[in-house]
Amino acid sequence: MKANVATPVENTSRFIERYIPLVDFLGQSLRPNVEIVLHDLDVPDRSIIAIANSHISGREIGGPVTDFALWFMQQGNTAHVPMMTGYRAVNAEGRVCRSSSYFLRDENDVMRGMLCINVDISEWIHLRDVAAGMLGGSETTLPDKFDAFGSYPGTPLPAHADAVVSHFVDSVQPTVQDAGLPAAAPAAAAPTAPVGENGKEVITESLRSNIQNLIDSMLNTALSKQSIPPERMQKEERLAVVKDLEDMGFFILKGGITAAAKRLGVSEPTVYRDLVQVRD
Protein backbone atom coordinates (compact mmCIF):
# COMPACT_ATOMS: atom_id res chain seq x y z
CA MET A 1 0.00 0.00 0.00
CA LYS A 2 1.36 3.38 -0.98
CA ALA A 3 2.22 5.76 1.82
CA ASN A 4 -0.13 8.66 2.43
CA VAL A 5 2.43 11.22 1.31
CA ALA A 6 1.38 14.80 0.66
CA THR A 7 3.06 18.18 0.52
CA PRO A 8 4.99 18.39 3.81
CA VAL A 9 3.58 20.71 6.42
CA GLU A 10 5.01 24.21 6.47
CA ASN A 11 8.51 24.54 7.96
CA THR A 12 9.25 20.82 7.71
CA SER A 13 13.02 20.47 7.55
CA ARG A 14 14.77 18.92 4.57
CA PHE A 15 16.53 16.70 7.08
CA ILE A 16 13.26 14.91 7.80
CA GLU A 17 11.85 15.10 4.26
CA ARG A 18 14.54 12.78 2.95
CA TYR A 19 13.04 9.91 4.95
CA ILE A 20 9.64 10.16 3.24
CA PRO A 21 10.51 7.64 0.46
CA LEU A 22 11.48 5.14 3.17
CA VAL A 23 7.93 5.29 4.56
CA ASP A 24 6.55 4.52 1.10
CA PHE A 25 9.03 1.64 0.66
CA LEU A 26 8.28 0.05 4.02
CA GLY A 27 4.54 0.52 3.57
CA GLN A 28 4.61 -1.43 0.31
CA SER A 29 7.09 -4.04 1.57
CA LEU A 30 5.44 -4.97 4.87
CA ARG A 31 2.02 -6.43 5.55
CA PRO A 32 -1.17 -4.28 5.73
CA ASN A 33 -1.25 -4.70 9.52
CA VAL A 34 1.97 -2.66 9.82
CA GLU A 35 1.71 1.13 10.05
CA ILE A 36 4.74 3.28 9.24
CA VAL A 37 4.79 6.87 10.50
CA LEU A 38 7.33 9.66 10.03
CA HIS A 39 7.25 12.51 12.57
CA ASP A 40 8.88 15.92 12.31
CA LEU A 41 9.47 16.87 15.95
CA ASP A 42 10.13 20.51 15.06
CA VAL A 43 6.35 20.85 14.67
CA PRO A 44 4.91 18.51 17.37
CA ASP A 45 1.34 19.76 17.00
CA ARG A 46 1.26 18.53 13.36
CA SER A 47 4.29 16.33 13.19
CA ILE A 48 3.10 13.53 10.88
CA ILE A 49 4.55 14.21 7.42
CA ALA A 50 4.22 10.70 5.93
CA ILE A 51 2.22 7.63 6.90
CA ALA A 52 1.55 4.22 5.36
CA ASN A 53 -1.29 1.86 6.31
CA SER A 54 -2.93 4.65 8.28
CA HIS A 55 -6.05 2.52 8.87
CA ILE A 56 -4.21 1.03 11.84
CA SER A 57 -4.50 4.20 13.94
CA GLY A 58 -6.80 6.39 11.83
CA ARG A 59 -4.21 9.17 11.80
CA GLU A 60 -3.43 11.42 8.84
CA ILE A 61 -0.70 13.74 7.59
CA GLY A 62 -0.66 16.83 9.80
CA GLY A 63 -1.59 14.83 12.90
CA PRO A 64 0.24 15.39 16.21
CA VAL A 65 2.99 13.47 17.96
CA THR A 66 2.10 10.81 20.51
CA ASP A 67 2.33 11.04 24.28
CA PHE A 68 5.40 8.78 24.11
CA ALA A 69 7.15 11.10 21.66
CA LEU A 70 6.42 14.11 23.86
CA TRP A 71 7.72 12.29 26.91
CA PHE A 72 10.90 11.35 25.08
CA MET A 73 11.39 14.89 23.82
CA GLN A 74 11.04 16.13 27.40
CA GLN A 75 12.89 13.41 29.32
CA GLY A 76 14.95 11.28 27.00
CA ASN A 77 16.47 13.52 24.35
CA THR A 78 19.64 14.09 26.35
CA ALA A 79 20.15 10.33 26.73
CA HIS A 80 21.08 10.01 23.04
CA VAL A 81 19.22 6.71 22.73
CA PRO A 82 19.02 5.76 19.02
CA MET A 83 15.89 3.60 19.22
CA MET A 84 13.29 1.86 21.37
CA THR A 85 11.58 -1.36 20.28
CA GLY A 86 8.85 -3.68 21.46
CA TYR A 87 6.64 -1.34 23.49
CA ARG A 88 2.85 -1.32 23.39
CA ALA A 89 0.64 1.23 21.67
CA VAL A 90 -3.15 1.46 21.74
CA ASN A 91 -5.36 3.29 19.24
CA ALA A 92 -8.59 5.11 20.00
CA GLU A 93 -10.60 1.90 19.44
CA GLY A 94 -8.51 -0.10 21.88
CA ARG A 95 -6.61 -2.12 19.26
CA VAL A 96 -3.15 -3.07 20.45
CA CYS A 97 0.10 -2.66 18.51
CA ARG A 98 3.65 -3.79 19.05
CA SER A 99 5.56 -0.59 18.36
CA SER A 100 9.11 0.54 17.71
CA SER A 101 10.64 3.96 17.12
CA TYR A 102 13.91 5.06 15.56
CA PHE A 103 14.99 8.53 16.64
CA LEU A 104 16.31 10.72 13.83
CA ARG A 105 19.10 13.07 14.86
CA ASP A 106 20.85 15.80 12.90
CA GLU A 107 24.59 16.47 12.60
CA ASN A 108 24.52 18.11 16.04
CA ASP A 109 22.94 14.98 17.60
CA VAL A 110 19.67 16.85 18.19
CA MET A 111 16.56 14.67 17.88
CA ARG A 112 14.56 16.10 14.97
CA GLY A 113 12.23 13.27 14.02
CA MET A 114 10.98 9.75 14.62
CA LEU A 115 10.37 6.84 12.27
CA CYS A 116 7.78 4.60 13.92
CA ILE A 117 6.52 1.09 13.11
CA ASN A 118 3.25 -0.08 14.67
CA VAL A 119 2.29 -3.73 14.16
CA ASP A 120 -1.39 -4.42 14.89
CA ILE A 121 -1.44 -7.65 16.90
CA SER A 122 -5.10 -7.50 17.93
CA GLU A 123 -6.04 -10.55 15.85
CA TRP A 124 -3.22 -12.56 17.40
CA ILE A 125 -4.48 -11.57 20.83
CA HIS A 126 -7.94 -12.80 19.88
CA LEU A 127 -6.52 -16.12 18.69
CA ARG A 128 -4.60 -16.45 21.92
CA ASP A 129 -7.79 -15.86 23.93
CA VAL A 130 -9.64 -18.51 21.94
CA ALA A 131 -6.79 -20.99 22.38
CA ALA A 132 -6.57 -20.27 26.11
CA GLY A 133 -10.31 -20.84 26.46
CA MET A 134 -10.17 -24.14 24.61
CA LEU A 135 -7.28 -25.25 26.82
CA GLY A 136 -9.08 -24.39 30.01
CA GLY A 137 -7.64 -20.90 30.44
CA SER A 138 -4.25 -22.16 31.50
CA GLU A 139 -1.61 -19.94 29.96
CA THR A 140 1.11 -22.40 30.96
CA THR A 141 -0.23 -24.85 28.36
CA LEU A 142 0.18 -22.39 25.51
CA PRO A 143 3.21 -22.85 23.24
CA ASP A 144 6.03 -20.54 24.31
CA LYS A 145 6.50 -19.17 20.81
CA PHE A 146 2.84 -18.20 20.45
CA ASP A 147 2.75 -16.72 23.94
CA ALA A 148 5.83 -14.58 23.31
CA PHE A 149 4.45 -13.29 20.01
CA GLY A 150 1.12 -12.21 21.45
CA SER A 151 1.92 -11.21 25.01
CA TYR A 152 2.46 -7.72 26.35
CA PRO A 153 2.89 -6.46 29.89
CA GLY A 154 -0.33 -6.69 31.88
CA THR A 155 -0.61 -2.99 32.63
CA PRO A 156 -3.66 -0.75 32.98
CA LEU A 157 -5.00 0.76 29.77
CA PRO A 158 -7.65 3.41 29.11
CA ALA A 159 -11.15 2.24 30.06
CA HIS A 160 -12.10 1.50 26.45
CA ALA A 161 -9.26 -0.99 26.15
CA ASP A 162 -9.28 -2.74 29.53
CA ALA A 163 -11.37 -5.65 28.30
CA VAL A 164 -9.01 -6.28 25.42
CA VAL A 165 -5.84 -6.94 27.38
CA SER A 166 -6.80 -7.14 31.05
CA HIS A 167 -5.51 -10.70 31.27
CA PHE A 168 -2.12 -10.18 29.63
CA VAL A 169 0.94 -11.82 31.15
CA ASP A 170 3.98 -9.75 32.03
CA SER A 171 6.33 -11.39 29.55
CA VAL A 172 7.59 -8.74 27.16
CA GLN A 173 9.44 -5.55 28.05
CA PRO A 174 10.44 -2.67 25.75
CA THR A 175 13.98 -2.91 24.46
CA VAL A 176 16.22 0.15 24.46
CA GLN A 177 19.16 0.36 22.10
CA ASP A 178 21.61 2.71 23.70
CA ALA A 179 25.14 3.97 23.86
CA GLY A 180 25.99 2.95 27.38
CA LEU A 181 22.61 3.93 28.85
CA PRO A 182 21.06 1.40 31.28
CA ALA A 183 18.27 -0.44 29.47
CA ALA A 184 15.67 0.40 32.10
CA ALA A 185 16.28 4.16 32.09
CA PRO A 186 13.76 5.39 29.49
CA ALA A 187 11.01 3.03 30.70
CA ALA A 188 11.40 4.26 34.25
CA ALA A 189 9.83 7.61 33.43
CA ALA A 190 7.38 6.55 30.74
CA PRO A 191 4.34 8.71 29.89
CA THR A 192 2.03 7.01 32.41
CA ALA A 193 4.61 4.63 33.93
CA PRO A 194 2.16 1.74 34.51
CA VAL A 195 3.55 -1.13 36.56
CA GLY A 196 3.38 -4.71 35.36
CA GLU A 197 2.99 -7.84 37.49
CA ASN A 198 6.76 -8.21 37.75
CA GLY A 199 7.07 -4.77 39.33
CA LYS A 200 8.74 -3.18 36.31
CA GLU A 201 7.40 0.03 34.83
CA VAL A 202 6.45 -0.27 31.19
CA ILE A 203 5.44 1.99 28.34
CA THR A 204 2.03 2.30 26.76
CA GLU A 205 1.68 4.75 23.89
CA SER A 206 -1.66 6.26 22.82
CA LEU A 207 -2.15 6.72 19.08
CA ARG A 208 -4.39 9.79 18.88
CA SER A 209 -5.76 11.09 15.59
CA ASN A 210 -5.81 14.82 16.40
CA ILE A 211 -4.29 17.33 18.75
CA GLN A 212 -7.42 17.78 20.89
CA ASN A 213 -7.67 14.04 21.52
CA LEU A 214 -4.01 14.00 22.52
CA ILE A 215 -4.43 16.96 24.89
CA ASP A 216 -7.53 15.45 26.49
CA SER A 217 -5.86 12.06 26.91
CA MET A 218 -2.78 13.52 28.60
CA LEU A 219 -4.87 15.70 30.90
CA ASN A 220 -7.04 12.73 31.85
CA THR A 221 -3.94 10.71 32.68
CA ALA A 222 -2.49 13.41 34.94
CA LEU A 223 -5.79 14.18 36.67
CA SER A 224 -6.57 10.50 37.25
CA LYS A 225 -3.61 10.29 39.64
CA GLN A 226 -5.39 12.61 42.07
CA SER A 227 -8.18 11.36 44.31
CA ILE A 228 -10.30 14.51 44.08
CA PRO A 229 -11.77 16.52 41.18
CA PRO A 230 -9.95 19.67 39.95
CA GLU A 231 -12.45 22.09 41.48
CA ARG A 232 -11.59 20.79 44.97
CA MET A 233 -7.82 20.63 44.56
CA GLN A 234 -5.53 22.52 46.88
CA LYS A 235 -2.39 24.14 45.54
CA GLU A 236 -0.15 21.15 46.31
CA GLU A 237 -2.45 18.81 44.40
CA ARG A 238 -2.64 21.22 41.47
CA LEU A 239 1.15 21.47 41.44
CA ALA A 240 1.35 17.68 41.31
CA VAL A 241 -0.83 17.67 38.19
CA VAL A 242 1.26 20.40 36.56
CA LYS A 243 4.44 18.49 37.44
CA ASP A 244 3.07 15.30 35.84
CA LEU A 245 2.10 17.23 32.72
CA GLU A 246 5.54 18.84 32.55
CA ASP A 247 7.26 15.46 32.88
CA MET A 248 5.05 14.11 30.08
CA GLY A 249 6.06 16.92 27.74
CA PHE A 250 2.52 18.28 27.68
CA PHE A 251 3.56 21.93 27.62
CA ILE A 252 5.57 21.40 24.43
CA LEU A 253 2.20 21.40 22.69
CA LYS A 254 0.78 24.67 21.48
CA GLY A 255 -2.19 25.52 23.66
CA GLY A 256 -1.05 23.33 26.54
CA ILE A 257 -1.17 26.16 29.08
CA THR A 258 -4.68 27.18 28.02
CA ALA A 259 -5.99 23.61 28.08
CA ALA A 260 -4.49 22.90 31.51
CA ALA A 261 -5.91 26.11 32.96
CA LYS A 262 -9.38 25.27 31.65
CA ARG A 263 -9.39 21.73 33.08
CA LEU A 264 -7.94 22.83 36.41
CA GLY A 265 -10.39 25.72 36.71
CA VAL A 266 -7.69 28.36 37.18
CA SER A 267 -6.28 31.23 35.16
CA GLU A 268 -3.48 30.85 32.62
CA PRO A 269 -1.13 33.05 34.73
CA THR A 270 -1.71 30.63 37.61
CA VAL A 271 -0.61 27.69 35.47
CA TYR A 272 2.43 29.70 34.33
CA ARG A 273 3.39 30.36 37.94
CA ASP A 274 2.86 26.71 38.85
CA LEU A 275 5.02 25.66 35.93
CA VAL A 276 7.83 27.98 36.98
CA GLN A 277 7.65 26.53 40.49
CA VAL A 278 7.77 22.86 39.41
CA ARG A 279 10.69 23.62 37.07
CA ASP A 280 12.78 25.10 39.88
Side-chain angles (χ1 to χ4, degrees):
M1 180 178 295
K2 186 176 177 61
N4 299 325
V5 179
T7 302
V9 295
E10 186 179 356
N11 297 327
T12 296
S13 67
R14 291 187 177 274
F15 171 79
I16 301 299
E17 286 183 39
R18 64 185 179 181
Y19 291 96
I20 291 177
L22 184 58
V23 175
D24 195 1
F25 166 71
L26 292 174
Q28 294 188 48
S29 301
L30 301 177
R31 295 179 60 83
N33 70 321
V34 181
E35 179 185 67
I36 316 296
V37 188
L38 179 62
H39 290 279
D40 180 355
L41 299 183
D42 290 343
V43 282
D45 297 84
R46 44 198 175 93
S47 68
I48 298 178
I49 64 170
I51 185 168
N53 294 331
S54 59
H55 61 278
I56 300 297
S57 66
R59 293 177 295 174
E60 300 177 347
I61 290 173
V65 296
T66 64
D67 50 359
F68 166 68
L70 286 170
W71 165 78
F72 209 90
M73 291 168 68
Q74 183 74 359
Q75 300 289 340
N77 191 29
T78 58
H80 306 291
V81 177
M83 69 185 75
M84 181 173 286
T85 61
Y87 59 91
R88 182 179 61 197
V90 183
N91 72 5
E93 297 176 351
R95 295 183 68 85
V96 181
C97 294
R98 183 183 189 277
S99 298
S100 301
S101 292
Y102 187 85
F103 307 121
L104 306 173
R105 299 178 182 277
D106 61 19
E107 63 276 8
N108 297 314
D109 201 31
V110 176
M111 192 166 70
R112 303 288 300 281
M114 295 173 63
L115 181 63
C116 304
I117 299 177
N118 303 309
V119 183
D120 186 348
I121 61 169
S122 299
E123 297 304 322
W124 287 102
I125 294 169
H126 175 69
L127 289 174
R128 172 187 149 153
D129 292 349
V130 172
M134 294 179 67
L135 294 170
S138 174
E139 290 180 343
T140 59
T141 62
L142 291 175
D144 291 341
K145 186 177 296 185
F146 179 65
D147 185 64
F149 187 85
S151 299
Y152 272 75
T155 56
L157 290 177
H160 60 264
D162 281 343
V164 182
V165 293
S166 60
H167 59 285
F168 272 18
V169 294
D170 211 5
S171 63
V172 177
Q173 291 291 337
T175 299
V176 180
Q177 301 295 327
D178 59 32
L181 185 73
T192 57
V195 179
E197 292 177 4
N198 63 3
K200 294 182 179 180
E201 292 177 331
V202 295
I203 290 175
T204 298
E205 179 179 34
S206 297
L207 306 178
R208 300 295 174 174
S209 59
N210 61 62
I211 188 64
Q212 190 58 54
N213 287 342
L214 176 62
I215 285 175
D216 290 342
S217 175
M218 296 179 75
L219 282 168
N220 290 340
T221 296
L223 290 169
S224 68
K225 297 180 181 180
Q226 303 301 316
S227 59
I228 60 175
E231 61 270 16
R232 294 173 52 195
M233 286 182 181
Q234 301 297 317
K235 182 178 180 179
E236 288 186 2
E237 294 158 334
R238 190 181 70 243
L239 285 172
V241 172
V242 173
K243 178 63 164 60
D244 282 338
L245 291 172
E246 168 70 357
D247 291 344
M248 293 160 63
F250 178 81
F251 296 109
I252 294 174
L253 297 171
K254 183 179 180 181
I257 292 287
T258 301
K262 184 175 181 180
R263 286 292 296 273
L264 289 168
V266 297
S267 66
E268 291 183 25
T270 297
V271 175
Y272 274 114
R273 288 193 294 269
D274 289 348
L275 193 54
V276 170
Q277 185 170 342
V278 301
R279 285 174 175 172
D280 287 341

